[in-house]
Amino acid sequence: MTMLPVKDLQERSDRHPKPSDIKFQYGTAGFRTLGKTLDSVLFRVGVLAALRSKKLDGKTIGVMVTASHNPEPDNGVKLVDPRGEMLESSWEAHATALANAPNSVAFVAAVDELVKATKIDLSIPARVVYARDTRPTGPQLIAALKDGLEAIKAEYRDAGVTTTPVLHYLVRTINTKGTKDSYGKDTEEGYLTKLSDAFKKLLAGKPTPPPLLIDCANGVGALMAERFKGYLGDIFNINLVNADLHTPGALNNSCGADFVKVNQKLPPSITLQPGQRACSLDGDADRLMYYYADERGQFHMLDGDKITTLVASYIVELVKASGLDEQIKVGVIQTAYANGSSTKYLSERLPVKCVPTGVKHLHHAAEQYDVGVYFEANGHGTVLFSPAAQELISSHKPSTALTNLKNIIDVINQTVGDALSDAFLVEAILAQKSFSGVEWDSLYCDLPNRLVKVVVSDRNAFKTEDAERRLVSPPSLQAKVDELVRKYEGGRSFVRPSGTEDVVRVYAEAATRAEADELAFSVAGLVYDEAGGDPSQRPKEFL
Ligand SMILES: CC(=O)N[C@H]1[C@@H](OP(=O)(O)O)O[C@H](CO)[C@@H](O)[C@@H]1O
Ligand SMILES: [Mg+2]
């Protein structure tokens, strides 16, 4: 029977001591905090990833080192399961347990416990592929990760500095290589070729779209977008802004998808000509925000809900035109943050489901449909085609619509939200439909909305139900929220604890900007007071 390499594990673990004052938690976005505090976590994640691989018969597990849209000093790490999806949730607790063992002895004991509890056969080889974004703490954290992988004798592949969606793609392609489910070539070049070929086919014969301005958040998306240029030829031009990978502190600073969504405005580094369309990626290029300037030069945001609407409507059209609408049902998955107007527009046409925040919930729900379209309002999302739907599409009688549908499938990264793939998807649809930003935007009109953070002493006191749309605790708070909402015609508001920050989030929407703000700040004030917030620290905008 193969035993744990206890001595090596312990000795190497001693080189990566856990900071005694930090409690780590594997949350919605994996482990995420100040990069310089994560050395022990990365070492232990190396061991954990190898154990997960052994547990899954030696399938390759992915490890991505990134903190996405967070400030540059932050970093983080996420595990990717064999089909390119997020780590199975039951393992999140194992990750947390290993990360918090106070010293190397306790760590080895925790590893041993995990091996026994989950019945891992240690003789099975472990395989891991890892990558990192451009953060300055990345190289050192990767070194710690490698130390963990070597301590447990895993085979590993370094995918270098690349985007989160490329790493997910690699995991899926490595694990499906040579099978009937092959998802493509298991290299970055394979990814670039697959997506760009499909995109070029969708654009063929259409007028060349104007060059697309891409705000790369001064992150790794800039590298990937630059690489795409070589594959797109002159059929589609992209102009990169915020593609500075050298200036310290530039990453996500006043730019990127999160900046645009939160502030509902252009990054100060960008000016748009009337009619011009552009988009922003986040720091690891898995989120996308679109926007355009109207003929008066005014900014309009096209967020994840607008992307859902465009994409779902187009896929429905193609399915129908291919004569497959009886067999293939398209559904949409949203969270409570989806703009009420988008939900109304979509529900009048398609099945729409609301799930709790976090991509894993959306992804799982999307798997229940033949074609599941999901985007969080903040621009993270993709489209999933069930194996049966793909089979039907590939064997059905050829037509232009069917060819377009096949190319749409290939331009999409089904493993996870992928900003560049999503941007090509959007551009392909706009070209196919001869839509400008204005026509896309006109499908429905967003309700003004406001998202507010409330700092409370204990966010775990906030519990929700109904896909996070209603509070069950603290008791009676929901009734008070309802009372405030009733004052606003068409108003909606909900309160939930964040899964990634130590805050409670309040969302509100209403018929006018002033009303949405007033409702959001009234609910925020209510939450602050009910949660025992210090009156002297009460934010002045709270009502
Ligand atoms: C309102 C909002 O944008 N919430 C984000 C944020 O989650 P919170 O649980 O709200 O902190 O980070 C998640 C991970 O990136 C993302 O999935 C989600 O959409
Ligand atoms: Mg991201």
Side-chain angles (χ1 to χ4, degrees):
M1 199 175 77
T2 313
M3 311 286 279
L4 272 178
V6 172
K7 189 160 168 286
D8 205 20
L9 270 177
Q10 202 167 314
E11 273 172 18
R12 293 201 197 220
S13 174
D14 276 329
R15 286 185 234 149
H16 305 278
K18 178 190 174 288
S20 55
D21 54 338
I22 305 181
K23 182 163 176 357
F24 296 107
Q25 195 184 344
Y26 195 102
T28 329
F31 292 109
R32 194 179 288 184
T33 181
L34 259 186
K36 62 174 194 237
T37 65
L38 281 166
D39 182 78
S40 63
V41 169
L42 266 288
F43 172 80
R44 294 168 184 204
V45 162
V47 176
L48 178 78
L51 293 176
R52 178 90 185 131
S53 169
K54 286 174 187 286
K55 174 70 194 166
L56 301 176
D57 292 327
K59 293 242 168 49
T60 296
I61 296 295
V63 177
M64 182 70 202
V65 177
T66 178
S68 186
H69 61 280
N70 286 32
E72 190 169 295
D74 283 2
N75 215 328
V77 60
K78 288 186 270 203
L79 266 68
V80 180
D81 263 356
R83 293 181 60 253
E85 71 278 41
M86 308 270 174
L87 175 69
E88 185 191 292
S89 29
S90 66
W91 272 60
E92 293 178 3
H94 301 322
T96 303
L98 291 200
N100 288 308
N103 52 45
S104 63
V105 175
F107 170 62
V108 175
V111 169
D112 191 45
E113 204 174 298
L114 175 58
V115 168
K116 291 193 174 117
T118 54
K119 300 193 174 64
I120 292 171
D121 177 352
L122 290 169
S123 68
I124 294 173
R127 298 185 184 92
V128 174
V129 55
Y130 60 83
R132 67 174 175 93
D133 70 11
T134 54
R135 282 164 208 271
T137 49
Q140 266 189 307
L141 294 178
I142 290 288
L145 175 77
K146 268 173 71 177
D147 211 13
L149 293 167
E150 283 166 11
I152 193 147
K153 304 189 172 39
E155 287 171 32
Y156 55 82
R157 168 170 159 188
D158 181 0
V161 176
T162 193
T163 67
T164 294
V166 167
L167 195 258
H168 284 253
Y169 168 91
L170 288 175
V171 172
R172 171 92 157 249
T173 48
I174 291 169
N175 285 310
T176 55
K177 199 173 180 168
T179 72
K180 68 171 183 20
D181 300 322
S182 169
Y183 193 64
K185 240 179 108 192
D186 64 341
T187 56
E188 195 172 270
E189 192 250 327
Y191 164 88
L192 291 160
T193 309
K194 179 178 177 185
L195 270 61
S196 55
D197 280 357
F199 182 48
K200 285 190 282 191
K201 286 181 194 155
L202 286 160
L203 288 189
K206 305 284 164 200
T208 309
L212 178 67
L213 195 71
I214 305 184
D215 158 21
C216 300
N218 297 317
V220 69
L223 288 179
M224 199 52 60
E226 196 57 51
R227 286 173 201 159
F228 262 120
K229 278 187 184 171
Y231 288 78
L232 296 173
D234 48 16
I235 199 153
F236 188 73
N237 291 308
I238 50 185
N239 290 336
L240 308 184
V241 280
N242 298 319
D244 172 2
L245 301 181
H246 301 291
T247 307
L251 177 65
N252 296 322
N253 190 356
S254 292
C255 58
D258 200 57
F259 176 90
V260 174
K261 177 67 180 168
V262 171
N263 298 289
Q264 306 189 20
K265 66 177 190 198
L266 273 181
S269 47
I270 295 180
T271 28
L272 292 182
Q273 301 307 312
Q276 193 180 0
R277 182 163 71 236
C279 62
S280 289
L281 320 179
D282 72 340
D284 61 339
D286 62 356
R287 269 207 220 173
L288 179 70
M289 273 291 138
Y290 256 85
Y291 36 89
Y292 69 98
D294 64 21
E295 73 280 6
R296 289 179 298 126
Q298 189 164 352
F299 165 82
H300 295 267
M301 191 165 73
L302 295 153
D303 66 0
D305 303 333
K306 291 277 180 183
I307 299 176
T308 303
T309 310
L310 180 75
V311 171
S313 310
Y314 183 63
I315 293 178
V316 167
E317 259 174 50
L318 291 181
V319 167
K320 206 161 179 197
S322 309
L324 285 166
D325 46 330
E326 284 303 315
Q327 293 108 301
I328 297 181
K329 297 291 171 209
V330 182
V332 166
I333 301 92
Q334 299 189 311
T335 72
Y337 292 106
N339 195 277
S341 293
S342 76
T343 311
K344 180 168 181 295
Y345 178 92
L346 287 161
S347 340
E348 284 162 4
R349 295 160 174 83
L350 290 167
V352 177
K353 193 168 186 241
C354 182
V355 299
T357 307
V359 177
K360 68 176 177 213
H361 299 293
L362 291 117
H363 196 91
H364 286 149
E367 285 173 334
Q368 309 308 311
Y369 293 106
D370 302 321
V371 181
V373 182
Y374 75 82
F375 280 87
E376 290 190 299
N378 63 26
H380 191 168
T382 187
V383 185
L384 301 186
F385 292 81
S386 73
Q390 295 203 86
E391 186 63 43
L392 268 172
I393 292 165
S394 62
S395 58
H396 199 65
K397 69 171 185 306
S399 65
T400 311
L402 196 81
T403 306
N404 283 338
L405 196 52
K406 286 181 183 166
N407 288 323
I408 286 284
I409 294 177
D410 280 347
V411 94
I412 291 169
N413 183 345
Q414 292 191 54
T415 63
V416 76
D418 180 332
L420 290 165
S421 148
D422 292 335
F424 296 149
L425 174 64
V426 164
E427 290 298 324
I429 299 174
L430 295 178
Q432 287 282 338
K433 295 183 74 76
S434 310
F435 268 11
S436 67
V438 182
E439 282 142 330
W440 172 15
D441 199 17
S442 69
L443 296 177
Y444 65 85
C445 183
D446 268 327
L447 279 170
N449 57 87
R450 177 69 60 198
L451 188 59
V452 183
K453 290 183 196 182
V454 187
V455 178
V456 296
S457 56
D458 178 18
R459 78 182 200 277
N460 295 318
F462 289 75
K463 302 258 183 287
T464 60
E465 62 177 4
D466 189 22
E468 304 182 320
R469 288 173 290 192
R470 299 189 61 79
L471 280 172
V472 287
S473 160
S476 76
L477 188 51
Q478 185 60 47
K480 293 179 184 161
V481 173
D482 291 343
E483 207 176 299
L484 287 172
V485 171
R486 266 197 297 276
K487 294 187 192 158
Y488 301 85
E489 178 93 35
R492 181 170 76 95
S493 179
F494 65 92
V495 179
R496 61 174 276 279
S498 160
T500 59
E501 286 177 72
D502 198 10
V503 295
V504 165
R505 295 195 202 281
V506 170
Y507 175 89
E509 60 188 30
T512 65
R513 154 96 358 252
E515 285 180 339
D517 286 352
E518 194 179 283
L519 177 56
F521 290 124
S522 310
V523 175
L526 171 71
V527 168
Y528 189 82
D529 299 340
E530 292 277 325
D534 177 353
S536 70
Q537 304 286 314
R538 197 176 193 271
K540 58 182 183 327
E541 62 276 21
F542 286 10
L543 299 169

